[in-house]
Amino acid sequence: MRGKMLWFNEKKDLGFIHTDEGERLSVLGPAFAGGRRPEGRCAQKEVEFAVDATGAERQAENVVLVEADSPRRARLRGRGGRTSR
């Protein structure tokens, strides 16, 4: 599944994800794949995860932060300090 982080408290090792389907799921620190927890502000960061429905409350597990591709910069044409003759 995919969604976005709502928030993550590093001290409490707890946070929440808003799924693309509109569900709000809790996520514990150990549920992040490879131990890569979000640092600092993480609201609206894209995540991929699975849902654990074995307990009383559905929780996110195997959470992975999706790295956003940086947009390509436009090339400048006809500039660059050279003069044409």
Side-chain angles (χ1 to χ4, degrees), residues 4-9 13-19 23-32 47 49-53 55-63:
K4 293 185 178 183
M5 290 296 305
L6 291 173
W7 59 268
F8 186 78
N9 185 317
D13 215 19
L14 168 73
F16 284 92
I17 294 173
H18 188 259
T19 69
E23 186 177 7
R24 183 179 172 178
L25 299 174
S26 64
V27 58
L28 300 174
F32 284 92
V47 290
F49 56 93
V51 177
D52 178 16
E57 181 181 314
R58 291 168 48 98
Q59 292 185 341
E61 65 178 11
N62 296 324
V63 181

Side-chain angles (χ1 to χ4, degrees), residues 55-72:
E57 181 181 314
R58 291 168 48 98
Q59 292 185 341
E61 65 178 11
N62 296 324
V63 181
V64 177
L65 295 167
V66 177
E67 299 295 327
D69 292 334
S70 58
R72 293 183 59 171

Side-chain angles (χ1 to χ4, degrees), residues 31-49:
F32 284 92
R36 278 200 64 216
R37 294 165 172 81
E39 296 176 359
R41 292 183 180 257
C42 65
Q44 299 301 311
K45 286 192 177 181
E46 298 262 342
V47 290
E48 290 184 350
F49 56 93

